[in-house]
Amino acid sequence: QVQLVESGGGLVQAGDSLRLSCAASGRTFSNYAVGWFRQAPGKEREFVAATDWSGRVANYADSEKGKCTIARDNDQKMVYLQMNSLKPEDTAVYYCAAKYLTSSNDAGDYRYWGQGTQVTVSS
């Protein structure tokens, strides 16, 4: 079993950068892929980025390519999402989630979820 806790959200201005963190607990965290998703008010949860169990494979939503970077440190049981050039439309609750081994851009494939961290981008 994997427990996930997100942090690093907050209120920023358009154009700013932010790094979100996902702290994991559980002995087998290194066996799990981790994805980042976000959900804005009144909208469906959407995929942002994901990395496989090793951290060597990363996938991004088309809208986030070149803007976000996902990275993980299995020794520290941490996954990070670096977001640059933030826009008001990036405002959402950001969640990290875990699934066994390989990553996916489908939220339904993930078994474990954190509680989310709010990111608000002002114009």
Side-chain angles (χ1 to χ4, degrees):
Q1 189 166 355
V2 177
Q3 293 81 40
L4 304 169
V5 178
E6 303 93 338
S7 63
L11 174 63
V12 297
Q13 294 186 335
D16 285 352
S17 297
L18 205 60
R19 188 178 80 157
L20 305 182
S21 299
C22 176
S25 60
R27 293 185 302 168
T28 60
F29 171 69
S30 59
N31 291 340
Y32 285 80
V34 174
W36 283 96
F37 295 80
R38 65 187 180 191
Q39 188 166 19
K43 295 187 177 181
E44 292 187 354
R45 192 167 297 188
E46 66 174 0
F47 171 72
V48 178
T51 180
D52 75 338
W53 66 274
S54 71
R56 291 192 290 268
V57 177
N59 298 297
Y60 298 92
D62 288 343
S63 62
E64 303 306 313
K65 289 178 180 177
K67 181 180 166 183
C68 290
T69 303
I70 188 170
R72 69 186 292 162
D73 182 337
N74 281 342
D75 290 337
Q76 298 297 321
K77 297 184 180 179
M78 296 291 295
V79 178
Y80 305 99
L81 181 69
Q82 176 70 40
M83 302 187 294
N84 302 318
S85 303
L86 286 164
K87 301 177 181 179
E89 49 264 42
D90 294 316
T91 295
V93 177
Y94 283 71
Y95 299 89
C96 64
K99 67 177 294 292
Y100 193 63
L101 289 182
T102 57
S103 61
S104 167
N105 62 0
D106 186 342
D109 290 338
Y110 288 79
R111 180 174 183 181
Y112 302 106
W113 289 82
Q115 294 300 306
T117 185
Q118 176 71 48
V119 172
T120 303
V121 184
S122 64
S123 58

